């Protein structure tokens, strides 16, 4: 097969590891973005966060130590009720290029703005990547689900432009730009191309928001024309939600504006075991933050914290994505294999997966299954 090359591919992923042949062997997920470093031990910024965050990030630290992974953590105490992300944290991520993060609680209604959004905008983490796939040994209603949701992360309804026009009337602006729409579309198609995915579906509401979502679709169509080997289609977001819960196996890579992607990713996660097993990350040109893939439940509740029964699987799998991004694929494979063995065995599962195990029991089981 002819070697794949393109200016964008050469510029952004020139240091990517070799890929398996098309159609032959197991497909390895590629975290599509620049890969810093040369394989030497790497510092990683760690934000344990709120709620169950310290529990699940603690599990990751234990597993990394047990497998002698070539990373070490710089931990920072950040909480969702802070007025802003401390400058020292931003500087650490800029320096290290990579961050692992637990959930940060976001106030509902009044209060401070979302620190998650501050991080994404400050570091220009324009793409949210969530892998939603069946996990062997975990029974679900649907089989053969393997969806990657790629969501624009910096604009749309999350632009944060709101004001009260007159008492009782609030205006919230949805901003869509051609630059950001083309950038996320390129990311989605390059991801599909690198991973031998067959189809990209653009999710929209252009039948109502004809200018904003119309611009998003126009950008997707222009990029799609440059990838004739990848099937491209479009779906209105409300029909998309119905199709997801009835025939999810029809979807492959999905590219979405900001708000729709959040809804689609959490819905897809619910189809294949819940948010506790879905890895993900927010990535940009120079930096990446890896965290639980779907936002629902990433902080947990007081009972989970008190009983020490938070599910660490999602963040462990996100850590495997991080290791692969840092050019440590063998460590990533070992971690993923150990986690999947524990789930398939069924002896150690937290409550959300039908078990009674504690976070520490699942962590110990993963460590025991490391090759």
């Amino acid at each position: 097969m002819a070697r794949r090359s393109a200016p964008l591919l050469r510029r952004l992923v020139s240091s990517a590891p070799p890929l398996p042949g098309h159609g032959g062997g197991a497909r390895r997920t590629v975290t599509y973005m620049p890969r810093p470093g040369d394989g030497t031990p790497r510092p990683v910024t760690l934000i344990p966060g709120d709620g169950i965050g310290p529990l699940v990030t603690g599990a990751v630290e234990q597993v990394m130590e047990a497998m002698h992974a070539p990373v070490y953590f710089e931990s920072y105490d950040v909480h969702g009720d802070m007025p802003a992300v401390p400058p020292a944290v931003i500087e650490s991520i800029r320096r290290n290029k990579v961050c692992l993060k637990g959930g940060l609680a976001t106030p509902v209604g009044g209060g401070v703005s979302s620190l998650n959004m501050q991080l994404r905008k400050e570091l220009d983490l324009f793409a949210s990547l969530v892998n939603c796939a069946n996990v062997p040994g975990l029974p679900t209603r649907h089989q053969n689900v393997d969806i990657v949701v790629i969501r624009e992360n910096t604009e749309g309804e999350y632009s944060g432009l709101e004001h009260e026009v007159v008492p009782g009337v609030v205006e919230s602006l949805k901003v869509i730009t051609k630059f950001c729409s083309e950038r996320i579309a390129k990311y989605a198609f390059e991801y599909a191309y690198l991973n031998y995915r067959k189809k990209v579906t653009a999710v929209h509401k252009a039948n109502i928001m004809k200018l904003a979502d119309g611009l998003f679709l126009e950008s997707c169509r222009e990029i799609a024309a440059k990838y004739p080997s990848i099937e491209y289609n479009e779906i209105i977001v409300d029909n998309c939600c119905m199709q997801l819960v009835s025939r999810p196996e029809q979807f492959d890579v999905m590219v979405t504006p900001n708000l729709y992607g959040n809804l689609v990713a959490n819905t897809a996660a619910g189809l294949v075991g819940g948010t506790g097993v879905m890895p993900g990350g927010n990535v940009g040109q120079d930096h990446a933050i890896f965290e639980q893939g779907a936002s629902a439940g990433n902080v947990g509740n007081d009972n989970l914290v008190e009983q020490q029964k938070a599910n660490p699987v999602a963040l462990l799998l996100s850590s495997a994505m991080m290791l692969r991004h840092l050019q440590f694929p063998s460590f990533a494979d070992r971690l993923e294999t150990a986690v999947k063995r524990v789930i398939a065995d069924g002896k150690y599962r937290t409550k959300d997966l039908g078990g009674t195990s504690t976070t520490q029991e699942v962590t110990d089981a993963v460590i025991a299954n490391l090759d």
Side-chain angles (χ1 to χ4, degrees):
M1 184 179 69
R3 181 173 61 89
R4 292 182 165 180
S5 64
L8 179 67
L9 182 61
R10 288 196 298 270
R11 185 172 70 254
L12 293 183
V13 292
S14 58
S15 57
L19 291 169
H22 189 188
R27 179 173 61 200
R28 171 176 290 167
T29 298
V30 175
T31 302
Y32 165 59
M33 61 173 299
R35 292 149 189 260
D38 56 3
T40 57
R42 289 294 309 277
V44 173
T45 304
L46 179 66
I47 301 176
D50 297 313
I52 65 172
L55 273 176
V56 293
T57 56
V60 171
E61 288 184 280
Q62 291 180 57
V63 173
M64 291 291 182
E65 182 178 357
M67 67 192 300
H68 304 291
V71 298
Y72 55 95
F73 294 104
E74 296 178 2
S75 184
Y76 289 87
D77 193 28
V78 181
H79 299 284
D81 58 359
M82 290 180 170
V85 179
V89 177
I90 298 293
E91 176 57 32
S92 175
I93 300 174
R94 290 193 187 280
R95 180 176 64 253
N96 297 333
K97 308 295 185 185
V98 178
C99 173
L100 184 70
K101 184 175 79 67
L104 290 173
T106 300
V108 177
V112 298
S113 61
S114 167
L115 298 194
N116 296 303
M117 285 302 304
Q118 288 184 30
L119 284 168
R120 294 168 195 167
K121 290 185 176 182
E122 182 71 26
L123 299 168
D124 195 24
L125 306 177
F126 65 88
S128 168
L129 178 69
V130 181
N131 294 318
C132 301
N134 290 116
V135 181
L138 193 62
T140 58
R141 183 181 297 274
H142 299 280
Q143 299 302 316
N144 302 315
V145 179
D146 186 5
I147 302 170
V148 177
V149 181
I150 295 175
R151 161 193 173 197
E152 205 293 317
N153 226 7
T154 61
E155 56 177 19
E157 294 85 353
Y158 286 50
S159 300
L161 301 175
E162 295 184 312
H163 64 277
E164 188 173 42
V165 181
V166 296
V169 179
V170 172
E171 187 174 58
S172 180
L173 301 180
K174 170 178 177 174
V175 177
I176 297 289
T177 65
K178 189 170 183 63
F179 172 80
C180 289
S181 297
E182 285 187 344
R183 182 169 65 168
I184 197 66
K186 287 178 182 177
Y187 187 104
F189 276 93
E190 284 291 316
Y191 181 94
Y193 188 84
L194 286 168
N195 289 280
Y196 300 101
R197 295 275 182 162
K198 297 180 180 179
K199 180 168 64 175
V200 173
T201 300
V203 183
H204 67 94
K205 191 66 177 173
N207 58 324
I208 302 298
M209 285 169 274
K210 298 181 183 297
L211 292 180
D213 284 22
L215 178 58
F216 175 78
L217 278 188
E218 175 187 313
S219 302
C220 289
R221 290 167 184 169
E222 290 176 1
I223 299 301
K226 301 176 182 179
Y227 295 83
S229 64
I230 299 173
E231 180 185 349
Y232 169 71
N233 64 357
E234 301 166 357
I235 189 168
I236 296 173
V237 63
D238 39 356
N239 183 34
C240 174
C241 293
M242 188 273 288
Q243 294 290 334
L244 267 176
V245 298
S246 58
R247 293 196 305 117
E249 64 279 356
Q250 69 182 286
F251 295 107
D252 192 353
V253 175
M254 307 178 77
V255 60
T256 78
N258 210 329
L259 177 61
Y260 310 154
N262 195 13
L263 302 177
V264 168
N266 281 275
T267 301
L271 297 174
V272 291
T275 59
V277 295
M278 292 300 104
N282 299 288
V283 299
Q285 177 68 31
D286 299 310
H287 309 94
I289 295 180
F290 295 92
E291 58 186 329
Q292 179 175 303
S295 59
N298 64 353
V299 176
N301 56 54
D302 291 340
N303 287 336
L304 285 177
V305 177
E306 291 171 3
Q307 297 172 13
Q308 305 279 292
K309 290 187 175 182
N311 189 349
V313 166
L315 201 64
L316 286 169
L317 293 176
S318 298
S319 301
M321 290 176 63
M322 179 189 74
L323 288 169
R324 192 162 286 118
H325 165 69
L326 290 173
Q327 295 183 324
F328 303 129
S330 61
F331 286 92
D333 291 344
R334 288 177 61 201
L335 178 51
E336 286 182 349
T337 299
V339 170
K340 290 177 180 178
R341 283 176 180 168
V342 171
I343 294 175
D345 179 65
K347 184 177 180 181
Y348 297 100
R349 294 182 181 178
T350 48
K351 184 178 180 180
D352 58 312
L353 301 184
T356 59
S357 300
T358 64
T359 306
Q360 189 60 53
E361 287 172 340
V362 174
T363 304
D364 292 339
V366 171
I367 292 172
N369 277 275
L370 289 170
D371 286 333

